[in-house]
Amino acid sequence: MKRLLRPVPLAAIAATVALVALLAYAVAQNGPNRSIDDAIASGQRPAAPPLDLPRLDGASRLSLAALRGKVVVLNFWASWCVPCRQESPLLERWQKTIAPRNATILGVDVLDLTSDARDFVRRYKLTYPIVRDGPGHRLSAFGVAGYPETLLIDRRGRIVATNRGPVDQHYLERTLVPLLRERA
Amino acid sequence: MRKLIAVATIAAMLAAPAVAAAASCPRTTLGDVEDEVMCPVCGVPLNLATDAPQANRERAFITDQIRQCRTKSEIKDALAAQFGDRVLATPKPTGFGLTAYLLPIAGFLAATAAIVFAALRWRRRRPRSAAATGAVDPQDAARLEADLQRYDL
């Protein structure tokens, strides 16, 4: 035991413990954040994390805070994502329906080339607001691990539902329509 | 003949800027860049992400940049502008990224110091052997003497 308490073995043990701790931290960081899903599963409506990003057209920035009072369908997508190609026309149709009811789709283009994303928007004639998160900095805050993923946010800025995959007509009818009836 | 010379002169004049541009264009290749950048979605270096759709778009972007005569450094900067610094396989040697370059050097120096320290301690602890002192064991001396007499030198 005395031998272990000498400076050199002690330093070696400390270095090994530090390396193992660093490895454990890295593994924990790589896992998807499921705190939002867990809170919703337990009947809560967790506050949406802050989101303030440049618009895809580069004109200005748009934040979730600026959309407070509206129902927001927050959709994470990328132009290279195959299911996003099927989902986007559906979201565009819904945008036309919900916009007069003080609600909006908000697209977040992630890990994508700006030019590809703009081509995508032109090809599918998307009119809803789209912001760009090229480095994907905001993904972990929203627990996004795949593409597309959609979160429904109520008029008070709280997350009501998550859909880890492409949304369909039935899902939006079931979750979004009741949300539109709620008041701020 | 005059016509031929005129045509050749015009052709040379038209080709000259293109030749000059090609000569000044840095010889960057896709392979040069591919192993120094990441596929951000796949989480592996781009040269290992063979079939991922995002990786293919990234390759197309690099190829387009090469066509525009960009250097490797300029292409990496352009990729970082699109995807952030996480697209770079090796961190930039500034700020916290500097630790990636300094830590291996520090580790090497620490390991060398530890080896030298251990060697010095081992040498200090080792008992002085007979060979080191120059004295001959009496038994060995007697056996040697006997051998010498036997051979009658």
Side-chain angles (χ1 to χ4, degrees):
Chain A
M1 189 65 189
K2 268 187 177 179
R3 283 176 71 94
L4 286 176
L5 291 175
R6 284 179 186 166
V8 174
L10 209 60
I13 290 167
T16 309
V17 169
L19 277 175
V20 171
L22 194 66
L23 185 70
Y25 174 75
V27 169
Q29 284 293 302
N30 278 335
N33 170 12
R34 286 282 165 257
S35 61
I36 292 173
D37 301 73
D38 292 344
I40 292 169
S42 64
Q44 298 170 35
R45 288 188 177 189
L51 185 106
D52 182 359
L53 292 165
R55 286 177 183 263
L56 183 61
D57 58 18
S60 57
R61 296 180 74 86
L62 183 61
S63 68
L64 268 181
L67 296 172
R68 189 66 64 90
K70 286 188 174 191
V71 171
V72 178
V73 180
L74 188 64
N75 175 248
F76 290 86
W77 67 279
S79 65
W80 44 262
C81 144
V82 178
C84 301
R85 292 171 200 160
Q86 286 142 18
E87 189 191 53
S88 293
L90 174 74
L91 292 175
E92 178 58 28
R93 284 200 300 277
W94 272 86
Q95 171 69 6
K96 289 189 172 76
T97 309
I98 65 175
R101 296 180 180 192
N102 206 20
T104 185
I105 312 281
L106 174 59
V108 185
D109 174 48
V110 289
L111 302 171
D112 204 359
L113 293 164
T114 311
S115 53
D116 286 359
R118 286 176 182 164
D119 286 347
F120 187 96
V121 168
R122 270 193 295 273
R123 191 183 317 140
Y124 293 101
K125 300 182 175 63
L126 305 181
T127 59
Y128 53 82
I130 293 175
V131 290
R132 185 177 143 69
D133 184 10
H137 286 318
R138 299 308 296 151
L139 293 176
S140 64
F142 288 88
V144 176
Y147 315 94
E149 289 195 11
T150 301
L151 293 89
L152 265 63
I153 300 170
D154 68 11
R155 298 186 197 280
R156 291 166 66 184
R158 301 173 305 175
I159 300 172
V160 176
T162 60
N163 193 71
R164 308 292 181 188
V167 294
D168 56 20
Q169 181 72 15
H170 176 66
Y171 174 83
L172 291 171
E173 282 170 1
R174 190 166 44 87
T175 54
L176 179 56
V177 172
L179 208 56
L180 293 171
R181 294 193 193 111
E182 288 183 8
R183 291 190 176 181
Chain B
M1 186 64 185
R2 275 185 186 172
K3 274 186 181 174
L4 195 66
I5 291 169
V7 168
T9 309
I10 290 166
M13 283 170 70
L14 288 173
V19 171
S24 64
C25 197
R27 286 182 185 172
T28 314
T29 63
L30 178 62
D32 275 347
V33 185
E34 244 189 344
D35 58 351
E36 291 184 26
V37 296
M38 302 288 288
C39 166
V41 175
C42 335
V44 296
L46 186 59
N47 57 347
L48 300 180
T50 48
D51 291 329
Q54 201 250 359
N56 289 335
R57 290 307 306 147
E58 202 177 327
R59 278 190 203 94
F61 179 79
I62 295 169
T63 308
D64 188 49
Q65 296 284 309
I66 290 169
R67 272 198 216 107
Q68 293 175 40
C69 279
R70 299 272 161 85
T71 63
K72 183 159 75 171
S73 169
E74 285 170 341
I75 295 170
K76 284 165 78 173
D77 285 347
L79 281 167
Q82 291 287 327
F83 300 111
D85 283 349
R86 62 185 281 184
V87 78
L88 305 173
T90 50
K92 285 184 176 174
T94 53
F96 184 71
L98 198 61
T99 54
Y101 299 92
L102 294 181
L103 271 180
I105 298 169
F108 175 76
L109 291 176
T112 308
I115 290 167
V116 169
F117 177 73
L120 286 174
R121 275 183 64 140
W122 174 75
R123 207 175 154 191
R124 223 177 292 140
R125 277 191 186 173
R126 197 174 62 162
R128 299 187 78 187
S129 67
T133 56
V136 181
D137 186 39
Q139 278 187 340
D140 289 342
R143 196 170 62 238
L144 182 64
E145 189 60 34
D147 284 348
L148 288 171
Q149 281 180 4
R150 201 182 313 143
Y151 286 107
D152 196 21
L153 295 170

